Amino acid sequence: MEEPEMQLKVKKVTDKFTESMYVLANEPSVALYRLQEHVRRSLPELAQHKSDMQSWEEQSQGAIYTVEYACSAIKNMTDSGVYFKSIDSLLKHAIAMKDQLNAT
């Protein structure tokens, strides 16, 4: 091969090699820049979502407590049926005794 042709081929190879090294050297920084850019854009929205979720969780906990309290009250009312039957029988007995006293 002729020397000028060889020099041209060597220059092309070294230029391609240099370009490849440049791309490889800068690729991580470009990726990190894109990642930083993405985080900077999406972080405020994510923080707002987190705040909203915490607020909804507090409201849900309050509602759950209210429902559990209401269920407990209803259960206690159901369990108090025995007492109402006892009161009913005592009232009937008291009315019968009053009628008996009035009859004499």
Side-chain angles (χ1 to χ4, degrees):
M1 277 194 178
E2 299 176 16
E3 178 130 349
E5 186 180 329
M6 181 63 108
Q7 285 182 352
L8 183 63
K9 287 184 178 183
V10 168
K11 181 166 176 28
K12 282 183 180 180
V13 168
T14 55
D15 285 348
K16 287 289 185 185
F17 182 75
T18 303
E19 182 182 340
S20 296
M21 291 306 292
Y22 179 78
V23 168
L24 288 174
N26 288 318
E27 185 61 29
S29 62
V30 170
L32 291 175
Y33 173 76
R34 295 289 184 211
L35 184 61
Q36 178 187 13
E37 190 177 66
H38 172 72
V39 168
R40 188 178 312 130
R41 265 184 299 160
S42 62
L43 190 63
E45 185 178 344
L46 288 173
Q48 183 61 42
H49 283 303
K50 179 183 177 186
S51 175
D52 292 345
M53 291 299 287
Q54 286 173 336
S55 174
W56 293 336
E57 180 185 15
E58 289 172 8
Q59 291 174 359
S60 297
Q61 289 297 326
I64 289 169
Y65 175 77
T66 301
V67 169
E68 286 176 348
Y69 184 74
C71 288
S72 173
I74 290 171
K75 184 181 180 303
N76 288 337
M77 288 174 67
T78 304
D79 293 344
S80 65
V82 174
Y83 302 110
F84 284 118
K85 288 179 184 177
S86 175
I87 291 169
D88 184 49
S89 68
L90 288 171
L91 283 173
K92 286 180 181 177
H93 184 69
I95 290 171
M97 289 190 74
K98 180 187 176 280
D99 288 342
Q100 193 177 25
L101 285 174
N102 285 341
T104 48

